[in-house]
């Protein structure tokens, strides 16, 4: 493991005007952060835009930093969730990601007219599974744009996912062509119980080293530690792959990441490429070739 770290910044958004949001993300990009994550809550004392909309808002004013909104699984229709995140990846030219939200509170369910679950792990697994299937449902070369014949796409390369699960059924395919990364980067807390389905696992606590090792054993490609103080990053190089920093919005303008720890993203690359993650091959394209 390298002795440098990927840096991510969490913006919870409660006090952000559009101007401050844009400024904070620009500051994080300037400072060399690889990802900015956007917190979200269905229940808030203040009116604000959802995390996906905030991420899309800054997509056109950034060029390098990854954009990762929190989208809640048990209170969001899975087809809409997958479409929104694929659209973000298109809008950002391959910098989209997803922080898995799992708000199962009575207030959150009351906001959308659903019911509290006794357990959410199995449903989260299904939402991740069907989202990845939907992102794969268009093969990379499905869009042909053949003006001579008037054909926009090759229908043989657009696939129904036909997902039938305990909590929902989805026929598919997605309504957008396959996005630049193929699949957005999936980020989530290890306590969700779905670590084997994550691209980036988040850990927190005094036992970060043990929790990081357990996350790797469970299949996480990368592990980030959630921290509240930038000085804590000094001891985490070589233990985790990156850190996600939680700061008040007023502190963002004063960001000064230790240069010797920073693994700065490369302009022009996708978020997956900057994180060293392979671009997934569409499972349907792979099946057709067998």
């Amino acid at each position: 493991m390298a002795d440098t770290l990927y840096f991510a910044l969490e913006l919870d958004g409660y006090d952000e005007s559009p101007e401050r949001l844009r400024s904070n993300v620009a500051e994080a990009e300037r400072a060399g952060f690889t990802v900015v994550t956007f917190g979200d809550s269905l229940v808030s004392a203040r009116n604000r835009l959802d995390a996906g909309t905030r991420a899309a808002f800054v997509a056109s004013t950034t060029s390098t930093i990854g954009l990762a909104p929190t989208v809640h699984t048990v209170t969001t229709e899975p087809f809409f969730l997958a479409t929104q995140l694929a659209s973000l990846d298109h809008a950002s030219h391959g910098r989209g990601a997803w922080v898995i939200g799992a708000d199962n509170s009575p207030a959150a369910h009351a906001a959308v007219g659903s019911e509290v679950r006794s357990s959410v792990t199995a449903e989260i697994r299904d939402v991740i599974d069907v989202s990845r299937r939907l992102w794969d449902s268009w093969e990379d070369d499905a869009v042909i744009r053949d003006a001579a014949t008037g054909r926009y796409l090759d229908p043989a390369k657009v696939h129904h996912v036909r997902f039938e699960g305990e909590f929902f059924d989805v026929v598919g395919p997605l309504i957008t062509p396959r996005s630049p990364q193929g699949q957005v980067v999936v980020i989530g807390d290890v306590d969700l119980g779905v670590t084997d389905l994550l691209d980036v696992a988040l850990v927190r606590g005094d036992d970060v080293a043990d929790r990081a090792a357990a996350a790797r054993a469970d299949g996480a490609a990368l592990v980030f530690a959630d921290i509240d103080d930038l000085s804590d990053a000094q001891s985490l190089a070589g233990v985790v792959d990156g850190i996600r920093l939680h700061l008040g919005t007023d502190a963002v303008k004063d960001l000064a990441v230790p240069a010797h720890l920073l693994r700065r993203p490369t302009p022009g690359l996708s978020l997956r490429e900057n994180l060293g993650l392979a671009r997934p091959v569409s499972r349907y394209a792979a099946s057709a070739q067998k």
Side-chain angles (χ1 to χ4, degrees):
M1 186 185 302
D3 290 330
T4 54
L5 296 166
Y6 299 110
F7 278 74
L9 177 67
E10 163 67 11
L11 296 174
D12 68 19
Y14 284 98
D15 298 312
E16 287 180 346
S17 65
E19 294 76 17
R20 174 169 285 188
L21 171 62
R22 184 178 291 166
S23 174
N24 284 338
V25 176
E27 287 291 333
E29 185 169 68
R30 176 199 57 76
F33 280 69
T34 298
V35 184
V36 62
T37 64
F38 303 84
D40 199 37
S41 174
L42 290 172
V43 182
S44 172
R46 298 179 176 89
N47 293 325
R48 63 167 181 168
L49 295 173
D50 66 274
T53 301
R54 301 199 320 273
F57 173 71
V58 297
S60 64
T61 60
T62 53
S63 60
T64 304
I65 197 166
L67 306 172
T70 297
V71 185
H72 292 285
T73 50
V74 297
T75 52
T76 308
E77 199 279 320
F79 189 89
F80 172 78
L81 180 151
T83 302
Q84 181 186 38
L85 291 165
S87 297
L88 173 63
D89 201 42
H90 281 292
S92 63
H93 303 289
R95 293 179 288 122
W98 170 28
V99 179
I100 297 171
D103 191 345
N104 190 38
S105 67
H109 284 285
V112 297
S114 55
E115 297 181 354
V116 175
R117 278 63 157 165
S118 58
S119 175
V120 297
T121 300
E123 188 168 355
I124 293 171
R125 296 188 73 87
D126 276 2
V127 174
I128 298 172
D129 183 11
V130 78
S131 295
R132 291 192 183 277
R133 290 172 187 248
L134 286 166
W135 294 330
D136 280 352
S137 62
W138 289 60
E139 296 183 34
D140 288 324
D141 56 352
V143 176
I144 55 179
R145 295 187 178 94
D146 187 346
T149 62
R151 297 173 69 222
Y152 174 73
L153 60 83
D154 181 349
K157 296 186 176 183
V158 181
H159 305 273
H160 291 89
V161 303
R162 306 192 190 283
F163 182 92
E164 296 182 3
E166 178 182 353
F167 310 99
F168 51 82
D169 298 338
V170 175
V171 176
L174 205 64
I175 58 175
T176 62
R178 198 161 195 243
S179 71
Q181 293 185 107
Q183 298 183 11
V184 306
V185 175
V186 180
I187 304 169
D189 194 288
V190 295
D191 291 336
L192 294 174
V194 294
T195 304
D196 57 309
L197 301 181
L198 303 176
D199 295 307
V200 179
L202 301 172
V203 298
R204 176 184 279 273
D206 296 330
D207 55 346
V208 166
D210 291 340
R211 288 170 68 81
R216 296 186 200 285
D218 287 340
L222 298 170
V223 180
F224 282 28
D226 267 327
I227 63 174
D228 300 313
D229 191 329
L230 191 56
S231 64
D232 293 339
Q234 309 291 332
S235 61
L236 293 173
V239 177
V240 293
D241 302 288
I243 60 100
R244 181 172 68 154
L245 185 63
H246 295 248
L247 290 177
T249 55
D250 289 336
V252 174
K253 65 180 184 301
D254 298 321
L255 283 174
V257 178
H260 68 287
L261 291 179
L262 178 63
R263 193 178 304 178
R264 186 179 287 273
T266 301
L269 297 185
S270 70
L271 177 57
R272 280 190 168 274
E273 289 171 317
N274 272 317
L275 289 172
L277 299 171
R279 185 181 188 279
V281 175
S282 166
R283 70 193 66 198
Y284 301 103
S287 297
Q289 293 170 2
K290 290 181 181 179

